[in-house]
Amino acid sequence: NYLGGVNSPYYGYYSGNSQTWPSSNVETSPGVYASDPKLSGSNCNFLDPGIYNFPGGFTDNGGLISNELRPPDEPNYSNMSQRAGSGGNGYIQFWRNNASCDGTFSVAPVTAGGGLGLSQGTWFVVVTAVREDAFNPTYPSGSASYYPRASAPSMCRAVTINNSGNQGFQVAVSNVPGAEWYNVYAYQSATSGASCPTDSDFTRFGYIGSICSGSGALSASAHTYNAVAGCSSSFTETNSGSCPSLPSWPGGNAALTAGPGNTTSCGLGYTVSSVFNNSNVHVTGPSGSSCPTAPGISPDYPGTAGVSQGCEPPDGEQCPTIVGGCATPGVTSPMPPNDPAAQYQGTAGTTGDRADENECGDTSGDFSTCPGTVTPGAVQFSFPNQNGACFDDEGNGGAWVFSGRQYDYIAIYSLVDTSTCSGNNGNKIAGGGSTAWIGTTYFPNAYLTITGSSKAPVSGQVVANNLTIDGSAGVTVDYNSALAPTPPGGHLIIYSP
């Protein structure tokens, strides 16, 4: 068999966790799901990293599942002044594909207190969604390292500070799935009432502080959710209400109460920063260096170690791609979301992807030049050779899932055979604009059918005993050498004996 048919060496770390797919909770944990979750409806599920085993099979006919970390208010990839999907620009928010879990943020001037006002002019603000994910690269010996992840920047929002010497500003964020906190970046222009830039150059922004989202963090050992390190409280995010939802600014420069807010209107909740003023903001732009990531054997809230004011945010998102180039709004249908930044190759002035399929880490938990040894946040779906352990991702469901270096970039690992999941429809992947399995799709003993449309439903490799590729909308399998298994694994696009 391909790669010897050997399961991941990390499988044992997750196989002892008996799980039930949450009916309403957004965050989903790795482990063994004895029953097919049979997803339907419009829920979103953020996949915590690890191996998900489905002895009862997996059926996806609704909603959106993903381990991607995206910012609130994703921008038009080439124009930070525009929210993707607004003003008729034809782009989309990642978490508004088959679901309504996209976030947003707002900024407003507030009273800073006597003598604590920021300098007069316009301040431009972007935020990134941030989390830390635990992984033990030396399992079964050793212990977990914590890998920081920071999304690409949001769109830009502007706030004007008057000349009274008594104004700062606050940032309110309607949460996005997976975010444990948000990093805030800003720079100042002396011109009052100025507008945000219309390009994609985020190097003009400098880090000024962080905000807890209120979402709990998954414990590496107990696989339970606790308050995020450095955050005073936590709550469970759910698929309820109407999202995104922000608190109303009281007006008269009155400040909102800082911290995570209620979830009455949106189950993902919202959070509000402390007042940014001249007691806690010591820069008016970037320092010229990228924000580092701080490795550690325990969670570490950003700003307490290794992250200083003025450091620059991660690279921005890239154009939404289809096989052969960038998708065109109004022409490509369905429209795929923006792509994350490219891999970091050590080029000065770039940071590469810091959150998703192109991020690379080392065995200590630190960010590294790609290819690296670990892809923080990576997921693998695993199916034993057991009756009923079939894979069916189609209908109105969306799945945007990336694997990683530690799993040899195998995204779906199935050992079922042709008698267990029989016929051309024994296992199915039906791709659309909201579906992409990023890595190797591995069915060496089984039937697999792939259909699709604008976006390749598989980005990587396909290994199947019997493969059918069908669809009138130009279905493709997009080979990406960066997602191929490391030697001695084969580099191929399709293998079917």
Side-chain angles (χ1 to χ4, degrees):
N1 286 347
Y2 181 69
L3 291 180
V6 178
N7 220 328
S8 166
Y10 305 108
Y11 174 75
Y13 183 69
Y14 302 101
S15 61
N17 306 317
S18 179
Q19 301 283 5
T20 301
W21 198 274
S23 59
S24 62
N25 292 358
V26 169
E27 201 147 353
T28 309
S29 300
V32 179
Y33 290 81
S35 300
D36 185 340
K38 296 184 178 179
L39 304 183
S40 60
S42 58
N43 281 2
C44 63
N45 289 103
F46 182 87
L47 303 174
D48 288 330
I51 297 175
Y52 292 70
N53 186 260
F54 296 98
F58 177 84
T59 304
D60 178 17
N61 286 313
L64 175 62
I65 62 171
S66 183
N67 53 337
E68 297 265 336
L69 185 62
R70 297 299 182 110
D73 281 332
E74 285 183 277
N76 173 343
Y77 79 95
S78 62
N79 183 350
M80 71 175 73
S81 72
Q82 292 183 354
R83 186 182 197 265
S86 67
N89 62 34
Y91 297 98
I92 63 170
Q93 296 289 302
F94 181 89
W95 286 105
R96 191 160 281 273
N97 253 327
N98 303 317
S100 298
C101 294
D102 54 313
T104 187
F105 79 104
S106 60
V107 186
V110 297
T111 300
L116 296 180
L118 293 170
S119 54
Q120 179 185 359
T122 301
W123 287 77
F124 305 104
V125 180
V126 298
V127 299
T128 60
V130 188
R131 65 181 284 116
E132 283 183 320
D133 284 321
F135 176 70
N136 180 7
T138 60
Y139 176 84
S141 63
S143 58
S145 294
Y146 285 79
Y147 292 82
R149 298 171 61 191
S151 75
S154 67
M155 69 170 289
C156 169
R157 295 196 182 276
V159 58
T160 295
I161 301 300
N162 65 24
N163 61 1
S164 68
N166 196 34
Q167 278 191 346
F169 64 82
Q170 279 186 300
V171 179
V173 183
S174 179
N175 286 327
V176 289
E180 294 175 349
W181 56 84
Y182 302 93
N183 285 350
V184 181
Y185 300 84
Y187 78 97
Q188 188 229 14
S189 166
T191 303
S192 295
S195 299
C196 284
T198 57
D199 57 27
S200 58
D201 180 8
F202 291 98
T203 62
R204 50 169 66 92
F205 293 86
Y207 171 79
I208 60 171
S210 300
I211 320 168
C212 287
S213 72
S215 171
L218 182 66
S219 164
S221 55
H223 296 278
T224 57
Y225 289 92
N226 305 306
V228 173
C231 300
S232 60
S233 63
S234 66
F235 61 87
T236 300
E237 296 178 337
T238 64
N239 284 281
S240 62
S242 178
C243 301
S245 178
L246 288 170
S248 299
W249 294 100
N253 293 329
L256 290 168
T257 300
N262 67 65
T263 60
T264 302
S265 298
C266 167
L268 283 161
Y270 64 76
T271 187
V272 180
S273 73
S274 300
V275 177
F276 289 109
N277 56 39
N278 71 9
S279 71
N280 54 28
V281 177
H282 311 298
V283 297
T284 56
S287 63
S289 62
S290 298
C291 292
T293 55
I297 58 173
S298 61
D300 175 50
Y301 186 74
T304 63
V307 181
S308 58
Q309 287 211 352
C311 61
E312 297 170 11
D315 291 343
E317 294 177 344
Q318 303 182 102
C319 73
T321 60
I322 54 177
V323 175
C326 294
T328 303
V331 176
T332 304
S333 180
M335 190 70 181
N338 290 346
D339 275 15
Q343 288 187 341
Y344 175 65
Q345 302 292 347
T347 305
T350 65
T351 63
D353 185 6
R354 291 288 180 107
D356 297 315
E357 64 248 36
N358 295 319
E359 183 184 5
C360 296
D362 61 24
T363 56
S364 72
D366 201 4
F367 183 78
S368 74
T369 302
C370 294
T373 55
V374 174
T375 305
V379 161
Q380 183 182 93
F381 275 31
S382 178
F383 297 83
N385 187 16
Q386 185 170 317
N387 187 41
C390 304
F391 179 80
D392 184 355
D393 179 19
E394 59 174 341
N396 295 319
W400 201 282
V401 181
F402 65 89
S403 186
R405 190 63 61 185
Q406 63 269 38
Y407 305 130
D408 230 350
Y409 268 115
I410 300 178
I412 307 173
Y413 180 96
S414 176
L415 292 180
V416 299
D417 58 30
T418 54
S419 63
T420 301
C421 301
S422 61
N424 289 345
N425 291 321
N427 299 283
K428 301 184 285 293
I429 300 176
S434 60
T435 295
W437 291 90
I438 301 164
T440 297
T441 301
Y442 179 62
F443 291 83
N445 305 312
Y447 289 95
L448 175 65
T449 297
I450 298 176
T451 59
S453 52
S454 62
K455 180 73 177 182
V458 173
S459 179
Q461 305 182 108
V462 176
V463 177
N465 177 271
N466 187 293
L467 177 65
T468 300
I469 297 179
D470 189 19
S472 59
V475 59
T476 56
V477 175
D478 182 16
Y479 175 71
N480 183 340
S481 61
L483 306 180
T486 53
H491 286 204
L492 48 86
I493 181 169
I494 293 175
Y495 172 77
S496 183

